[in-house]
Amino acid sequence: MPDTTVTSPVLSRLGGAVRWDTSVGVLLVVLLICSFSFVENFGNALNLSFLIGNTLPIALIALPMAMLVVSGEVDLSVASTAGLSSAVMGALWNAGMAIETIIPLCVLLGVVCGLVNGLLVTRLGLPSLAVTIGTLGAYRGIAQIVLGSDSVTDFPVQYLDFGSGRFGDTFLPYAAVPFVVLLAIAVVVLHATRFGRSLFAVGSCEEAARFAGVRVKRLKLAMFVTTGVVSALTGVFWTLHYASARYDNATGLELSVIAAVLLGGIDFDGGKGTLGGAVAGVFLLGTMQNVMSLLNVTAQSQTVATGVLLVISVLAPRIGRQISRARARARTAAPPPVTAPSP
Amino acid sequence: MFGTTTGSRRLTLALATATALVLGATACGGTTKDDASKDGAGAAAGKADPKAETKKGLTVAFLPKQVNNPYFTTADKGGEKALGELGSTYKEVGTSSGTDTAGQVSYVNTLTQQQVDAMAVSAQDPGALCTALKQAMRGGVSVVTYDSDTNKDCRQVFVSPASAEDLGRTQVELLARQIGGKGEIAILSAAQTATNQNTWIDVMQKELKKPAYKDIELVKVAYGDDDAQKSFQQTQGLLQEYPNLKGIISPTTVGIKAAAQYLSGSKYKGKVKLTGLGTPNDMRAYVKNGTVEQFELWEPAKLGALAARAAVALESGQITGKEGETFAAGDLGTMTIGADGVVSPGEPTVFDKANIDEYDF
């Protein structure tokens, strides 16, 4: 993992001993094994395809979101962008436009939404949290103006089949394939290219990264645009998966995405984390939700469980870091061993 | 990335190319609304046997739009009671938000997995649940919708709160009687695009054309978007714009409450009449302080009970959801299924000072 935080070798070794994202991965595997063995109706292909299908929108947006958070920024307008994309899709379809034209237009819309966020953050130097809270409202508002409270459902069958179908009787939804492709691209970009290393550098210390020659603004703008595009595509997928274009589609999804990304060990302060961890976090939350529903846990208790898990996930790595830091301090502060105490 | 002029130019070029490509794609054609074939497969299959024995020990799940919403809690309690009488098991699941369509879909899927015998669903979205509900029906689960319908081929029976005709007609009747049959009136609706509201308003407008209402003039339809504050302001606006206004019909629970709140604190209290659809708990104070004489709503408990009985009748093979089939519905007598598999517990209940304390929802 290209962890660019400047730490002493001792510290990084301690931090590496129990990595949070690895623990989340292990936790996911344990949860899956337990669910397969003990939860009735969990292991069949149909249920697994439901699980994956319902988690995919979160997983899709989590990819650019993880990278954005690594670079020290955040985008809260992703769900509204998806909703706007869905509303535009419905309105254009109603107007008689071809679906093959609508989808690229939605992607273009994602570019515009991302550019607005990115330019406001990089050109005007505004904090991304504030900017994207604003556009969260604005994009959702435009979506409502575009489509009103209509819902458009009569999309072409072959596209709906792609959105909600699966390969034969297997657990794999069709839509998982583009996700896996995007995941592979994202992993390579974040963990094996100069671009990815620069994101970590910017997230750990923007000033230092700039002096080291990283074009910080350009990098961030590119990430905002990517996030916008993936969000818009998720809006298209959402519309086809649930066979319904509505302005309020994906409401609140940004919180699930951020929760999953944080759970997966991406540090909210930037500069730390892996995509593997983020994806494990996404599917850990998704699996928990599925299992809790199968076990008849009420919606309220599910929300509480998710919330508690999130707080723990933010706290645990920090506490771990504090402990290792304290230990390291204790070690350096300890007097050098006296070799020959002569009486 | 686009700091330099060359950068901006490159961006403009990229966007222009993308737009050109997209427009090119339009010219080449593709799949449009007109090409999309309609999936017209009917849901009801098999033959109904009205004499079939009512099955016991079934599990019927209620999936309301939102759990812990007092309206749906009352409706589902009605369902629970009816199922108890029929010797079947009740359960309720659902999302805590009223607009979490994805959550609702996953609950339908979960119920299918748990192999419940029947489900009664109040759909947040007419289309979004279709795939999941069809899958449930293919798996042998009987599907009833209540309160809010899905597309009609995605369920077997829809238990409608009250018919649009009844709702539109009775609200006009209530207001006409209160204002003595003449004067200017207005409607305070929810969103301009709300399908059910618009259907009721259409019925009201037709109703108002009748000779009996020739002295009543509908001056405006205002929209409060089911937002308390906006509905409050719209009421204020109506009264400023039309000083001779005699009455307001608000066919939405949020709107009527906000309008009552405004009237109750203004000089128009008791002078401008207000009626529409509201819940007794929301409106109790305004009925008691004389702001509102009468308003109406269907009884949610009856709705839930009817949904439960329809679900059991479906699962017992007494009905399949075709028009004209009948089934026994306890206190409500024998119910007949209407066109498109719709069944309704009848006219709405009118609430006033005399009876409002008998209701708690």
Side-chain angles (χ1 to χ4, degrees):
Chain A
M1 185 194 90
D3 191 342
T4 48
T5 20
V6 192
T7 44
S8 74
V10 182
L11 265 185
S12 64
R13 218 179 306 135
L14 269 174
V18 195
R19 279 237 317 263
W20 179 256
D21 48 355
T22 320
S23 350
V24 172
V26 171
L27 212 59
L28 174 62
V29 172
V30 170
L31 177 65
L32 284 174
I33 292 174
C34 289
S35 311
F36 270 111
S37 331
F38 303 117
V39 180
E40 207 186 337
N41 302 320
F42 176 83
N44 65 56
L46 186 63
N47 184 58
L48 292 177
S49 76
F50 289 156
L51 193 170
I52 298 173
N54 284 337
T55 316
L56 269 181
I58 300 174
L60 277 168
I61 301 184
L63 299 178
M65 184 69 91
M67 295 165 78
L68 198 58
V69 175
V70 160
S71 79
E73 302 289 345
V74 70
D75 185 349
L76 294 179
S77 71
V78 286
S80 298
T81 306
L84 178 56
S85 161
S86 178
V88 165
M89 192 174 164
L92 293 180
W93 176 252
N94 269 349
M97 199 180 266
I99 192 100
E100 291 80 2
T101 317
I102 296 175
I103 294 176
L105 277 177
C106 284
V107 172
L108 207 60
L109 177 81
V111 173
V112 174
C113 288
L115 268 180
V116 170
N117 287 335
L119 289 176
L120 285 174
V121 171
T122 57
R123 296 294 144 194
L124 299 183
L126 302 171
S128 57
L129 201 66
V131 166
T132 56
I133 283 180
T135 49
L136 178 155
Y139 295 162
R140 187 68 72 181
I142 300 172
Q144 193 174 8
I145 294 171
V146 167
L147 195 62
S149 42
D150 271 355
S151 73
V152 182
T153 57
D154 54 347
F155 293 102
V157 179
Q158 66 270 32
Y159 282 87
L160 294 180
D161 282 348
F162 173 78
S164 61
R166 55 189 172 123
F167 291 101
D169 280 332
T170 64
F171 65 92
L172 203 65
Y174 294 130
V177 174
F179 168 72
V180 171
V181 172
L182 285 179
L183 173 64
I185 295 174
V187 168
V188 170
V189 169
L190 183 63
H191 297 299
T193 64
R194 240 190 69 172
F195 183 88
R197 280 192 295 280
S198 308
L199 285 177
F200 280 106
V202 170
S204 337
C205 184
E206 199 173 318
E207 226 29 32
R210 188 174 299 125
F211 284 127
V214 176
R215 301 172 77 170
V216 174
K217 287 181 178 177
R218 174 202 259 221
L219 198 73
K220 287 186 172 174
L221 188 61
M223 267 333 293
F224 273 108
V225 170
T226 311
T227 311
V229 168
V230 176
S231 305
L233 274 175
T234 306
V236 171
F237 167 65
W238 184 291
T239 308
L240 296 175
H241 185 67
Y242 295 113
S244 179
R246 287 168 66 101
Y247 87 88
D248 60 357
N249 270 353
T251 302
L253 195 72
E254 69 279 348
L255 294 182
S256 310
V257 172
I258 290 170
V261 164
L262 293 187
L263 178 63
I266 307 276
D267 195 320
F268 207 62
D269 296 335
K272 270 193 218 72
T274 59
L275 270 174
V279 171
V282 168
F283 281 96
L284 184 63
L285 281 184
T287 309
M288 267 181 57
Q289 218 120 51
N290 182 279
V291 167
M292 285 193 285
S293 297
L294 283 174
L295 295 176
N296 291 323
V297 177
T298 62
Q300 292 81 6
S301 314
Q302 290 194 19
T303 315
V304 173
T306 316
V308 169
L309 191 70
L310 182 61
V311 173
I312 294 174
S313 74
V314 178
L315 274 181
R318 265 163 216 255
I319 293 174
R321 228 176 298 146
Q322 294 281 331
I323 292 174
S324 52
R325 210 167 284 164
R327 264 199 216 143
R329 221 176 293 132
R331 198 168 304 165
T332 46
V338 185
T339 38
S342 48
Chain B
M1 187 187 271
F2 312 111
T4 60
T5 4
T6 4
S8 323
R9 234 179 262 145
R10 227 185 301 149
L11 170 68
T12 324
L13 190 68
L15 282 180
T17 318
T19 318
L21 279 176
V22 161
L23 291 178
T26 328
C28 297
T31 323
T32 63
K33 201 175 170 68
D34 301 331
D35 307 334
S37 62
K38 290 275 175 217
D39 184 14
K47 249 178 105 76
D49 174 14
K51 290 198 183 62
E53 201 184 332
T54 303
K55 285 191 186 161
K56 285 186 196 283
L58 302 171
T59 303
V60 180
F62 273 70
L63 176 53
K65 268 189 188 173
Q66 183 180 25
V67 290
N68 286 8
N69 166 324
Y71 171 82
F72 282 108
T73 304
T74 312
D76 293 1
K77 285 244 171 69
E80 183 174 15
K81 189 161 163 273
L83 286 171
E85 288 165 12
L86 292 168
S88 283
T89 314
Y90 158 90
K91 80 181 230 175
E92 188 199 42
V93 293
T95 64
S96 41
S97 147
T99 53
D100 180 9
T101 34
Q104 245 196 341
V105 170
S106 76
Y107 273 111
V108 171
N109 289 338
T110 306
L111 291 173
T112 311
Q113 285 297 312
Q114 294 175 332
Q115 290 151 3
V116 295
D117 296 296
M119 56 177 104
V121 181
S122 180
Q124 288 176 359
D125 180 294
L129 291 172
C130 268
T131 316
L133 288 177
K134 282 182 181 165
Q135 198 145 34
M137 288 192 285
R138 271 201 303 278
V141 182
S142 298
V143 175
V144 174
T145 51
Y146 69 110
D147 186 74
S148 300
D149 201 6
T150 58
N151 300 338
K152 64 175 186 287
D153 53 339
C154 313
R155 46 77 180 157
Q156 288 153 295
V157 171
F158 170 48
V159 181
S160 169
S163 73
E165 277 67 32
D166 282 347
L167 282 171
R169 179 174 49 77
T170 49
Q171 288 177 71
V172 171
E173 273 172 18
L174 283 180
L175 189 65
R177 196 165 60 235
Q178 290 177 31
I179 63 172
K182 65 177 176 196
E184 295 179 350
I185 63 164
I187 293 174
L188 174 64
S189 175
Q192 198 152 4
T193 46
T195 328
N196 55 353
Q197 296 276 322
N198 288 343
T199 319
W200 299 333
I201 293 172
D202 281 347
V203 175
M204 289 179 203
Q205 280 170 333
K206 258 183 231 137
E207 197 65 23
L208 286 166
K209 289 207 178 84
K210 288 185 179 165
Y213 302 125
K214 64 177 181 352
D215 294 329
I216 296 179
E217 188 196 354
L218 175 61
V219 289
K220 186 169 183 178
V221 180
Y223 298 94
D225 288 340
D226 264 350
D227 176 280
Q229 197 181 15
K230 193 162 180 206
S231 304
F232 188 91
Q233 286 161 354
Q234 290 287 325
T235 313
Q236 191 174 22
L238 279 175
L239 290 163
Q240 266 160 15
E241 199 177 343
Y242 302 99
N244 295 324
L245 202 67
K246 286 284 179 292
I248 299 173
I249 299 178
S250 186
T252 150
T253 53
V254 179
I256 191 174
K257 188 182 179 190
Q261 197 185 356
Y262 177 76
L263 289 177
S264 150
S266 76
K267 61 181 179 183
Y268 304 105
K269 176 178 169 183
K271 295 195 183 83
V272 173
K273 304 294 182 184
L274 172 67
T275 194
L277 305 180
T279 72
N281 287 354
D282 274 351
M283 301 302 291
R284 199 176 324 270
Y286 304 112
V287 168
K288 294 205 165 162
N289 76 11
T291 310
V292 174
E293 258 176 59
Q294 287 183 319
F295 65 98
E296 63 177 20
L297 195 67
W298 51 90
E299 281 182 53
K302 276 190 195 169
L303 193 70
L306 192 54
R309 289 181 186 279
V312 171
L314 277 170
E315 196 57 29
S316 306
Q318 293 159 348
I319 55 172
T320 60
K322 285 202 192 75
E323 187 171 356
E325 294 171 350
T326 59
F327 64 101
D331 315 339
L332 296 165
T334 302
M335 299 300 308
T336 308
I337 296 174
D340 293 334
V342 179
V343 58
S344 157
E347 286 202 7
T349 308
V350 175
F351 304 98
D352 56 21
K353 244 183 198 152
N355 72 355
I356 195 162
D357 282 333
E358 295 164 24
Y359 298 92
D360 182 19
F361 64 90

